[in-house]
Amino acid sequence: MKEKKGSELTKEKAKGKRKAVKNPMGTAFDTPVKIQPIKKPKAVKKVADEKKKETKPKKTKKTDAVVEMATVEKNKGAKKAVKVIFLGGVGEIGKNMTAIEYGNDIIIIDAGMTFPSEDMPGIDSVVPDISYLTQNKHKIRGIFLTHGHEDHIGGLPYLLKELDEGTPVFGTRLTLMLADNKFQEHHITRVDERVVKPGDCISVKSFKVEFINVNHSISGACALAIYTPCGIIYHSGDYKIDLTPVAGEPIDLKRIAELGQEGVLLYMAESTNIERSGYTLSETVVGATFDHLFAENATRRLIIATFASNVHRLQQIIDMAVKYRRKVALSGRSMLKVVEAAARIGELKIPDGVLIDVERIKNFRDNELVIISTGSQGEPMSALTRMASGDFNKVTIGENDTIIISATPIPGNEKMVYRVINNLYKQGAKVVYESLEKSTFRGTPVKKNTRCCTPFLNPNSLSPYTANIAI
C-alpha cells in the first residue's frame, strides 16, 4: 500500500520572553490555519515594581497577545508555550491528526487517513506527514482517539510503526475494537491499548486529558478537555447535539458549560457543515423514515448503503427488518468486521436467526430480504459501486430493488456518489437518497450546533478543524 504525505512542519518563534500558542502547521495542502480571538482578554495589572514591569510579555500580533496574556494571568510561573500542531484535517476532509506540545511532552489526538481523489492514480490511501512526530518520538506520551471513524483511526497503524513500542493508545471500547482490526491487517502486535469511558481523566506528564460524552454517527464518540500548564484546550471531536439519541446518553452539555466556567484557552471546533443553517436533526427521525420506507416497499427487495461504522444506524435497520419479518445480509468486508466487533461488546443487538450469509439470498423472496452494504460514498471498490456496475457476483440489481443511500456525500465525493446512483437507475432499480428522503441525517454539527457550544465554553481563542476554516 502506498502512502501520500502532507506538507512538512514549519516552526515559528514567538516574540518576547514568553511564547504564545502557535499553529505552526499548515494542512496537507498547505492551507494556513489561524487561531482567531473571540474576546479581548483582561489587561495584565500594572505593578509598581520596575523588575515586574520588565517581565511583562512584549506585544506581538493580536492572536499571540490574547494567549500570552491569558497565560500570564492564570499561570504566572509558566515559562513555556503550548503548541497546537495541525498535521491533517484542517481545510480538508479526512486524515485528522493534531499534536499538542508543551516543553518535552507531546500528545497526539487522532490518527486518521483519507481516500485518494481522482487525480491520485496508483495511491491507495493518504495519511498525514508525521516527520515531526518521528523526529520527536521520545517526547510522545500518548495517542488519544475521539472516535472510531476511518478519518480518525485509519492512519494509526502507520503512526505506530514509526513510534516507540509501548506508546499508549487511549479510546472507548468500540473505538479500540475498530482500531484492533487495523492492527491485525498490518500485523501489529503488543499495542498498549487503554480503554476509557466518558468522565475519565488521564494524566500524562504535563497534560491531563478528560473524555467528555458527545453524540455522533458512531458509538463511543468523545470530546477532549486537555488541561495544560497554560490553560484548558477543548477539542470537540466530531459531534452533533442530539437530545434524543437512539442509544446512549445525550451530549454532556452540563460538563461543557462547567469547563467554560473554569476558563477555556482554546476551543478547537469541528466545522464540517458549518455553512449549513439550522440544527442537526436527531437520529430518531431517521428511524421513522426507515419505518415508512419499509412499509412503502413491502413487496420489493431493500438494499441499504450506509457507513459501516454507524452502529446506531445499523441497529435501526436491523430493528426494522425484525419488525417487517425480513432477513438481513451484510455486504462488504468492513461492514462484516464492524458488525462482529459491535455485537461482541454489546453495542449492537441482533436477534438469533436474523442474519444470513449473502451467499444465501437466492433462497429467499425479495420481500423477505434486506441487504446492508458499504459504498454510500461511491468508493470505487465498494460493494454498492460494484453492484451498480454489474461487477458484483453475489448481488444482481433488478427492477424490483429499492436502493436506499443512507449517508450524506462527504464534500468531494459527490461526483462518485451520483455516478453510482445513475448506474443503479440504469439497472432498473428505484433509488432513495438525500434529496428524496430524510434517511441521511448528518453526524456533524451545522451552524446553530456550533453557536450553541461556543457560549458555553466562552473560549479566549477559537480554531476550526475539519473541512472548513471559516466559523
Side-chain angles (χ1 to χ4, degrees):
M1 182 175 287
K2 300 178 184 177
E3 304 166 27
K4 185 179 181 69
K5 296 186 175 180
S7 61
E8 296 184 354
L9 271 172
T10 58
K11 297 181 181 177
E12 293 180 8
K13 293 184 178 178
K15 299 179 182 178
K17 293 183 180 180
R18 290 185 177 87
K19 296 179 183 178
V21 171
K22 290 290 183 180
N23 176 25
M25 177 60 197
T27 66
F29 302 105
D30 294 322
T31 305
V33 180
K34 296 181 180 178
I35 297 176
Q36 304 170 358
I38 285 183
K39 63 175 186 178
K40 293 181 180 179
K42 295 178 181 178
V44 178
K45 292 182 180 179
K46 293 182 179 179
V47 289
D49 194 324
E50 205 62 30
K51 288 184 180 179
K52 288 186 179 179
K53 283 185 178 180
E54 290 176 7
T55 63
K56 207 172 167 185
K58 293 180 182 179
K59 253 191 175 180
T60 59
K61 59 184 181 180
K62 188 175 180 182
T63 300
D64 294 344
V66 170
V67 181
E68 281 183 357
M69 291 182 185
T71 301
V72 171
E73 284 186 309
K74 292 183 180 179
N75 306 282
K76 295 182 180 178
K79 295 182 180 179
K80 303 184 182 75
V82 58
K83 298 178 182 177
V84 178
I85 306 164
F86 294 105
L87 297 166
V90 177
E92 61 181 332
I93 293 291
K95 63 185 180 67
N96 296 281
M97 184 187 288
T98 303
I100 298 179
E101 180 177 2
Y102 181 83
N104 291 319
D105 302 319
I106 295 175
I107 60 172
I108 301 168
I109 302 173
D110 292 330
M113 62 163 285
T114 191
F115 294 104
S117 57
E118 292 183 343
D119 61 350
M120 298 180 183
I123 301 300
D124 297 312
S125 60
V126 185
V127 298
D129 181 351
I130 58 171
S131 55
Y132 182 77
L133 298 179
T134 57
Q135 293 164 12
N136 294 275
K137 60 184 177 181
H138 60 285
K139 294 184 179 182
I140 295 173
R141 309 304 175 200
I143 302 168
F144 294 82
L145 305 176
T146 58
H147 64 285
H149 278 153
E150 284 285 316
D151 58 336
H152 291 259
I153 67 168
L156 199 54
Y158 305 102
L159 175 63
L160 287 178
K161 287 176 183 178
E162 301 298 328
L163 300 185
D164 293 336
E165 188 175 320
T167 301
V169 181
F170 301 89
T172 55
R173 289 182 69 196
L174 181 60
T175 301
L176 292 182
M177 288 285 285
L178 296 174
D180 279 339
N181 291 335
K182 302 291 178 189
F183 301 148
Q184 290 171 16
E185 289 175 8
H186 289 260
H187 309 289
I188 297 174
T189 57
R190 294 180 305 206
V191 178
D192 183 6
E193 297 177 272
R194 304 187 189 183
V195 178
V196 298
K197 60 183 182 302
D200 286 353
C201 288
I202 309 298
S203 294
V204 283
K205 296 290 185 178
S206 301
F207 303 101
K208 185 174 79 169
V209 182
E210 179 182 354
F211 286 78
I212 299 166
N213 184 65
V214 297
N215 304 122
H216 188 37
S217 59
I218 187 172
S219 301
C222 289
L224 303 177
I226 301 117
Y227 297 79
T228 77
C230 299
I232 299 172
I233 296 174
Y234 181 84
H235 188 292
S236 72
D238 288 5
Y239 78 101
K240 65 177 178 178
I241 296 176
D242 190 345
L243 301 179
T244 57
V246 295
E249 297 296 321
I251 183 173
D252 195 349
L253 292 175
K254 179 175 179 291
R255 181 59 190 141
I256 293 171
E258 289 171 352
L259 288 170
Q261 292 174 353
E262 293 177 35
V264 173
L265 181 65
L266 173 65
Y267 173 23
M268 296 168 61
E270 190 204 359
S271 56
T272 306
N273 287 301
I274 194 65
E275 79 283 1
R276 296 179 183 268
S277 60
Y279 294 95
T280 304
L281 297 178
S282 173
E283 188 73 18
T284 55
V285 181
V286 179
T289 301
F290 278 139
D291 199 349
H292 94 71
L293 285 173
F294 271 70
E296 195 177 87
N297 294 275
T299 62
R300 300 171 65 87
R301 184 172 67 172
L302 292 175
I303 300 173
I304 304 177
T306 189
F307 287 111
S309 57
N310 192 341
V311 176
H312 296 155
R313 191 74 51 88
L314 297 178
Q315 185 67 68
Q316 292 195 90
I317 296 169
I318 291 168
D319 291 344
M320 286 297 113
V322 172
K323 178 178 177 179
Y324 287 92
R325 300 172 184 259
R326 290 179 181 248
K327 299 292 185 183
V328 176
L330 305 176
S331 181
R333 187 181 62 167
S334 61
M335 186 69 70
L336 291 165
K337 287 189 173 183
V338 170
V339 169
E340 180 187 358
R344 196 185 313 152
I345 63 174
E347 289 284 354
L348 195 60
K349 296 174 175 59
I350 308 173
D352 292 339
V354 172
L355 282 183
I356 62 168
D357 191 285
V358 71
E359 302 276 3
R360 295 182 54 211
I361 62 173
K362 58 189 176 186
N363 299 328
F364 294 85
R365 292 190 291 270
D366 287 350
N367 63 349
E368 296 175 333
L369 284 173
V370 178
I371 300 171
I372 307 177
S373 172
T374 57
S376 62
Q377 297 302 305
E379 302 94 320
M381 297 304 295
S382 67
L384 185 65
T385 300
R386 287 184 289 153
M387 290 179 203
S389 60
D391 295 332
F392 194 61
N393 58 3
K394 296 178 182 178
V395 180
T396 302
I397 301 298
E399 293 183 357
N400 201 41
D401 287 327
T402 296
I403 319 295
I404 302 170
I405 300 179
S406 185
T408 304
I410 292 172
N413 289 352
E414 295 90 348
K415 186 175 180 180
M416 292 190 295
V417 171
Y418 284 103
R419 182 185 298 134
V420 170
I421 291 172
N422 287 336
N423 286 339
L424 289 169
Y425 278 127
K426 289 176 183 178
Q427 302 284 351
K430 173 184 174 183
V431 186
V432 178
Y433 51 100
E434 182 185 19
S435 62
L436 303 180
E437 285 288 351
K438 296 178 180 178
S439 64
T440 60
F441 288 146
R442 299 168 180 84
T444 53
V446 291
K447 187 172 293 184
K448 289 191 176 180
N449 290 143
T450 303
R451 286 184 176 174
C452 178
C453 282
T454 305
F456 286 155
L457 291 165
N458 194 26
N460 281 350
S461 299
L462 173 66
S463 174
Y465 92 92
T466 303
N468 293 308
I469 291 177
I471 289 187

